[in-house]
Amino acid sequence: MQRITDSLMFALRNLLHPRMLWLMAWPVVVAIVVWIGVLVLMWAEAIAWLGEKMRAWITHATFFVDWDPTLVAMWLAKALLIVMLLPLVQFTPLLILGVFGMPSMVEHVAARRFETLARRHGGSFAGSMINSIVAVLGLIGLGLVSLPFWFFPPLWPVIPVVIFGWVNQRVLRYDALAEHASEDEMTRVFREQRLTMYLLGVILALVAYIPFIGLFAPVVFGLAFIHYLLEALRRSRDAPIEAAVVRR
């Protein structure tokens, strides 16, 4: 936990660098424009469709009561849409950063904390694109698998956090090590740091629900992921190699 805290503190200290401010700004602007357009085109239709589904579910669940659940269904539909949209809005600048911003962020972190860490170039731009595609497909797949649970309102805040915890770490981890680690090192570090990366991804998913701050969190956590994983890579290389026991 101390290493997570150290990584987040490093990220916050470097947030006011002009390059980081630029990376905070333009992906957010793109995300806002995209999602405003989506909402203008689909908000009314989405609310109507979800409202009808909620009304049918409430009617079935409260068959023993004679009442009109339309207003409650519409309110629940709006709440559900907001719960679903907030992490998606944050995910958009995160995905942009994962492909176009992480190399610059890696250089920023490496120049300050990991100048002597050898670069073994285990990743590539094509690998970064494939990784992002896998993350998006994983998001869609997990969303489809979780569909039955969306009919239970108490689970609404939990489902996107669980899903985006995985998606967030998937997007950020590859580019954090692509420049410095070999392919074998990336595989090993990802395996060893699986739970910690997921925890960082969950924290980022939770921050998505904080007004305004959530939009700019991807840069903070991008820096934190880079710092954490480069430190894990350095520790891995510095660890003594276990000698084989030779019997005579």
Side-chain angles (χ1 to χ4, degrees), residues 90 204 207-218:
Q90 185 197 63
L204 176 55
V207 173
Y209 292 99
I210 301 177
F212 187 72
I213 294 176
L215 283 173
F216 299 98

Side-chain angles (χ1 to χ4, degrees), residues 131-236:
N131 181 70
S132 297
I133 292 171
V134 170
V136 173
L137 293 177
L139 172 61
I140 296 171
L142 291 171
L144 292 175
V145 169
S146 68
L147 277 178
F149 301 100
W150 286 99
F151 288 98
F152 302 95
L155 294 179
W156 290 355
V158 177
I159 296 171
V161 171
V162 171
I163 292 175
F164 278 94
W166 179 85
V167 175
N168 291 339
Q169 62 86 29
R170 179 78 200 200
V171 170
L172 292 173
R173 70 183 192 181
Y174 181 90
D175 293 281
L177 290 184
E179 179 70 14
H180 289 80
S182 67
E183 291 185 20
D184 290 341
E185 286 177 325
M186 291 172 72
T187 300
R188 183 174 68 253
V189 172
F190 293 159
R191 182 178 63 251
E192 293 173 350
Q193 305 301 325
R194 184 188 304 114
L195 292 178
T196 305
M197 291 189 302
Y198 182 73
L199 178 58
L200 276 169
V202 166
I203 296 172
L204 176 55
L206 290 170
V207 173
Y209 292 99
I210 301 177
F212 187 72
I213 294 176
L215 283 173
F216 299 98
V219 171
V220 176
F221 282 83
L223 290 170
F225 259 88
I226 295 166
H227 183 273
Y228 182 87
L229 290 176
L230 288 182
E231 178 63 25
L233 177 63
R234 180 164 63 183
R235 287 171 179 262
S236 175

Side-chain angles (χ1 to χ4, degrees), residues 2-92:
Q2 182 61 44
R3 290 173 59 196
I4 292 179
T5 303
D6 291 343
S7 299
L8 288 171
M9 292 304 297
F10 172 85
L12 290 171
R13 286 196 300 269
N14 285 265
L15 203 56
L16 296 181
H17 188 279
R19 188 188 302 173
M20 298 303 105
L21 289 174
W22 171 241
L23 287 175
M24 269 201 305
W26 75 266
V28 170
V29 171
V30 172
I32 290 174
V33 170
V34 168
W35 283 104
I36 286 177
V38 170
L39 289 177
V40 168
L41 293 174
M42 300 181 60
W43 176 261
E45 290 80 1
I47 290 297
W49 183 81
L50 280 174
E52 179 58 30
K53 296 297 180 182
M54 289 290 103
R55 190 190 66 79
W57 179 79
I58 294 171
T59 301
H60 179 74
T62 60
F63 65 93
F64 50 86
V65 180
D66 184 17
W67 70 302
D68 185 1
T70 301
L71 290 179
V72 174
M74 294 301 291
W75 183 88
L76 288 175
K78 292 176 182 178
L80 174 58
L81 199 58
I82 291 172
V83 168
M84 295 169 63
L85 278 177
L86 284 177
L88 285 173
V89 172
Q90 185 197 63
F91 179 65
T92 304

